[in-house]
Amino acid sequence: MALRVEPSGQACGARVTGVDLSQPLEPGTVAAIRRAWLEHHVLAFPDQQIGDDDLERFTLAFGGFGDDPFFAPIPGRQHIAAIRREADEQSPLFAENWHADWSFQARPPAGTCLMAVDIPPVGGDTLFANQHMAWDALTGEQQARYADLVAVHSARLPYAPDGTYGARDAGRSMDIRPSEAALATQTHPLVPAHPETGRRGFYSTLGYIIAIEGLAQDAAIALLMDLQTWQGDDRFVYRHHWEPGMLVMWDNRSVLHRATGGYAGHRRELHRTTIAAWSGS
């Protein structure tokens, strides 16, 4: 069966069929999936009968494993974390704000993979915001305002000991490990060129971005708050609905994402890997 890519008809995203991810992928298939990934930013592979070995093999085919700080891996694995919420859990929803995964690293991951393990019958959609589209929709004057800004990134707000997922975060089933390492900072251009396609787009957003070089802090936060509203505007958003047996990969360099709820009383679990930064080879 030939690989088939069906665009979502929304701001990004496509459904990919005609491939069996329980088997090793041929180089030509990997190349075709990468082309679709770069074009559509988010790919969903439905009806896959796969497990953790398959998830790891798929991740390795697209660049190897990125480093996952602040998450403990699942037992017996080094590179898989469980994104889990129990049916009776009362803690705030995990990852409900827009973000790009691990943007505070010196070499952030190229992408993220999520494999469905336990999908509730309602709710739990993931939202993705196309940041190339958000950039292209600005006027030339607006682009000139942002084009050369350098953003300061940090994990301190969520993952420091006193952060969102720190010592006060009680009753969460996910194995999150906050630490002082979250206080470190890293800079990246606010609007970089994508390393594989060359397209410009916003990278990350308020939360992991805590400051803008050369701007007073109050001015920087005001700018970032305005930008966050723009970056997540509905016209740039794809709403992904999960299905049992589905694997999803997305490009952290071109989209933001966030979780949604709506499945109270139901268990939800996905297994997560990160795809290492693009090496240029």
Side-chain angles (χ1 to χ4, degrees), residues 25-200:
L25 299 177
E26 296 294 332
T29 302
V30 172
I33 292 172
R34 181 177 288 277
R35 287 193 297 271
W37 185 44
L38 295 176
E39 178 180 357
H40 299 288
H41 315 294
V42 184
L43 299 181
F45 300 82
D47 302 321
Q48 299 291 332
Q49 302 299 315
I50 56 175
D52 291 328
D53 288 343
D54 306 306
L55 173 61
E56 289 189 339
R57 185 177 60 247
F58 182 87
T59 306
L60 288 170
F62 289 93
F65 297 116
D67 175 41
D68 280 315
F70 313 119
F71 284 175
I74 63 175
R77 304 283 169 166
Q78 292 185 334
H79 302 289
I80 299 177
I83 307 302
R84 180 176 60 243
R85 187 175 181 84
E86 299 297 346
D88 59 353
E89 194 160 328
Q90 299 299 311
S91 61
L93 191 66
F94 176 73
E96 62 181 334
N97 296 317
W98 289 115
H99 63 286
D101 284 337
W102 306 156
S103 70
F104 50 82
Q105 294 180 329
R107 285 180 54 77
T112 303
C113 301
L114 277 184
M115 179 184 74
V117 175
D118 195 359
I119 300 301
V122 294
D125 291 352
T126 304
L127 305 184
F128 297 93
N130 184 336
Q131 296 305 286
H132 292 319
M133 187 177 286
W135 173 250
D136 291 343
L138 293 174
T139 66
E141 182 178 353
Q142 289 171 317
Q143 288 184 345
R145 180 185 180 195
Y146 303 128
D148 298 322
L149 295 179
V150 175
V152 180
H153 297 245
S154 175
R156 65 185 57 184
L157 295 178
Y159 294 112
D162 62 350
T164 301
Y165 304 118
R168 294 171 296 177
D169 185 42
R172 188 175 299 278
S173 60
M174 282 182 61
D175 196 351
I176 299 175
R177 306 287 177 87
S179 81
E180 298 286 341
L183 300 176
T185 60
Q186 178 65 49
T187 58
H188 297 293
L190 182 66
V191 195
H194 191 287
E196 294 187 67
T197 68
R199 289 187 66 187
R200 294 194 74 176

